[in-house]
Amino acid sequence: MSTTVIRHDWTEGEVRALFEQPFNDLLFQAQTTHRQYFDPNQVQVSTLLSIKTGSCPEDCKYCPQSAHYDTGLEKQKLMEVKKVLEEAARAKDSGASRFCMGAAWKHPTQRDMPYVLEMVRGVKAMGLEACMTLGTLNRDQAGELAEAGLDYYNHNLDTSPEFYDSIITTRSYQERLDTLSHVRDAGMKVCCGGIMGMGESLQDRIGLLRVLANMPDHPESVPINMLVKVAGTPLAEVEDLDPFDFIRTIAVARILMPRSHVRLSAGREKMNEQVQALCFMAGANSIFYGEKLLTTPNPEAHADKVLFRKLGITPESREGLSDEAHEQALLQQVRQQQQASLYHDAGAPQAQAAATLQ
């Protein structure tokens, strides 16, 4: 089998032609491309923690963390380093190979940078890959994060350049591209994708993927999110995207960026097993594992494990950890969750009685 040529010069017509293929033909091409660069039955597993929640000055119309909208979100200041590292240790025990930390900032301040850098060093000391999303970075901040050992920086483009101003007005598209350039120049890997289902057109999905695929270096990780509609945000009532359009977007991303991890990201909680299975067939090979993705629900860890078993999928191994050990770590996490659930159910009547007495 000949290896797919890595390209950075995709035309609009070429990308549109991929989207407009018969569904089975598109999935066959995406799966064929996927198998040239990845084990088709392995998925990279990450855990995401919100280290600072809410009060963001940006006006992203999809985001419950924006200070512009009243979504009832409980705001939290920057977490203590110790608590972040405790969560990272739990993620490692549950089988995650990468720990991602997100802060609802327009950009990190110099006051907060020392704490952020300490988090990175602590996560790296555990043997985990470290990823952060902190908003806009200047060149010096990118250099500091790289020096601390940060592996990935996430900064999504969200949508096409043409549709972008309909979603966000407080940060320009060029600012996002500049941050990605600083990350690359500092030697870090790029995690960059977008959100589907915000009312964008097929033309906008084509536009977003063309920007990503025509970068001088493809993002190593490409999260494809399905909009999670949150009451209080301007997009709370937007029309649902057809799942087949979402799967097509996954497939085209795989074909355009063959060596990238394509992440089935936000919105999985609303997808049934069959849709998720088709996304994996289309070339998705990365997920967030756990009950919450920043501030929105994510499928429970044991549900992911059950689905993996049905599909014969295993998590990508961490360096220095065998497949068997990785499998056992995930099974142990499932048992702990089941035991906690049983304990919670058994203790609920006593808790209610105690509340009544008080």
Side-chain angles (χ1 to χ4, degrees):
M1 182 187 297
S2 60
T3 302
T4 300
V5 175
I6 306 298
R7 292 179 52 189
H8 306 269
D9 59 352
W10 292 92
T11 68
E12 178 186 329
E14 288 174 320
V15 179
R16 180 177 292 276
L18 291 173
F19 269 102
E20 292 179 347
Q21 286 189 87
F23 187 74
N24 288 340
D25 291 348
L26 175 59
L27 258 63
F28 180 79
Q29 183 178 350
Q31 179 63 202
T32 301
T33 301
H34 183 59
R35 287 170 179 265
Q36 294 177 21
Y37 292 93
F38 294 99
D39 183 326
N41 296 310
Q42 284 198 344
V43 170
Q44 188 274 326
V45 176
S46 298
T47 296
L48 177 61
L49 175 69
S50 179
I51 60 173
K52 185 268 177 183
T53 305
S55 299
C56 181
E58 304 281 24
D59 67 353
C60 310
K61 290 185 178 179
Y62 54 80
C63 187
Q65 300 206 60
S66 172
H68 294 258
Y69 317 122
D70 182 10
T71 61
L73 181 70
E74 183 179 349
K75 302 172 180 62
Q76 296 178 347
K77 295 180 179 179
L78 184 65
M79 287 178 66
E80 295 178 6
V81 174
K82 179 182 177 182
K83 292 182 178 179
V84 171
L85 298 183
E86 288 172 352
E87 292 294 332
R90 291 191 189 97
K92 181 177 180 179
D93 289 342
S94 74
S97 58
R98 185 180 306 161
F99 190 68
C100 305
M101 295 159 276
W105 285 327
K106 184 177 178 65
H107 53 76
T109 66
Q110 288 308 110
R111 179 192 63 191
D112 292 316
M113 280 298 290
Y115 302 105
V116 167
L117 297 174
E118 191 175 348
M119 292 173 192
V120 174
R121 296 186 190 103
V123 169
K124 292 294 295 178
M126 296 179 191
L128 289 167
E129 288 185 317
C131 176
M132 281 190 157
T133 178
L134 311 171
T136 301
L137 295 181
N138 61 38
R139 192 172 298 278
D140 290 342
Q141 289 170 329
E144 288 180 278
L145 288 167
E147 187 176 351
L150 191 67
D151 297 289
Y152 286 81
Y153 193 79
N154 166 260
H155 201 60
N156 289 334
L157 294 177
D158 288 346
T159 189
S160 68
E162 293 77 17
F163 191 61
Y164 181 84
D165 289 344
S166 300
I167 302 298
I168 304 156
T169 66
T170 51
R171 183 190 311 177
S172 71
Y173 212 78
Q174 187 58 50
E175 284 180 285
R176 290 180 182 262
L177 293 172
D178 290 344
T179 289
L180 294 173
S181 178
H182 297 329
V183 169
R184 275 285 181 225
D185 291 345
M188 291 181 285
K189 297 174 183 176
V190 169
C191 176
C192 183
I195 305 172
M196 307 301 118
M198 296 191 294
E200 79 283 351
S201 64
L202 170 60
Q203 181 67 35
D204 294 312
R205 292 191 282 279
I206 291 170
L208 169 66
L209 293 185
R210 278 194 69 216
V211 172
L212 295 170
N214 288 345
M215 288 179 173
D217 295 292
H218 293 161
E220 283 80 2
S221 183
V222 182
I224 304 295
N225 300 273
M226 178 75 90
L227 175 69
V228 178
K229 293 187 281 189
V230 179
T233 63
L235 297 182
E237 303 299 328
V238 70
E239 184 178 353
D240 288 342
L241 181 69
D242 188 306
F244 286 103
D245 290 333
F246 184 81
I247 297 164
R248 284 179 179 275
T249 305
I250 294 275
V252 174
R254 167 52 64 216
I255 294 166
L256 299 183
M257 295 168 279
R259 291 184 296 195
S260 302
H261 278 81
V262 177
R263 175 173 295 147
L264 179 56
S265 199
R268 280 203 307 127
E269 192 260 348
K270 295 294 185 182
M271 298 178 192
N272 61 32
E273 289 184 337
Q274 292 77 13
V275 169
Q276 292 187 61
L278 283 172
C279 287
F280 292 130
M281 184 69 184
N285 63 335
S286 178
I287 64 167
F288 280 117
Y289 179 87
E291 296 179 5
K292 183 171 286 190
L293 204 167
L294 287 182
T295 61
T296 56
N298 202 42
E300 293 183 6
H302 74 272
D304 289 335
K305 186 61 185 170
V306 169
L307 180 58
F308 276 21
R309 281 196 175 282
K310 289 180 180 180
L311 300 179
I313 286 175
T314 57
E316 275 188 3
S317 299
R318 292 195 301 264
E319 185 176 353
L321 184 63
S322 68
D323 290 342
E324 292 78 9
H326 203 163
E327 176 81 2
Q328 287 303 311
L330 285 171
L331 287 173
Q332 179 64 24
Q333 176 71 3
V334 171
R335 293 191 198 101
Q336 291 171 350
Q337 290 173 334
Q338 291 171 337
Q339 290 168 358
S341 178
L342 289 171
Y343 177 81
H344 178 269
D345 291 344
Q350 290 89 332
Q352 291 170 359
T356 303
L357 289 172
Q358 290 176 358

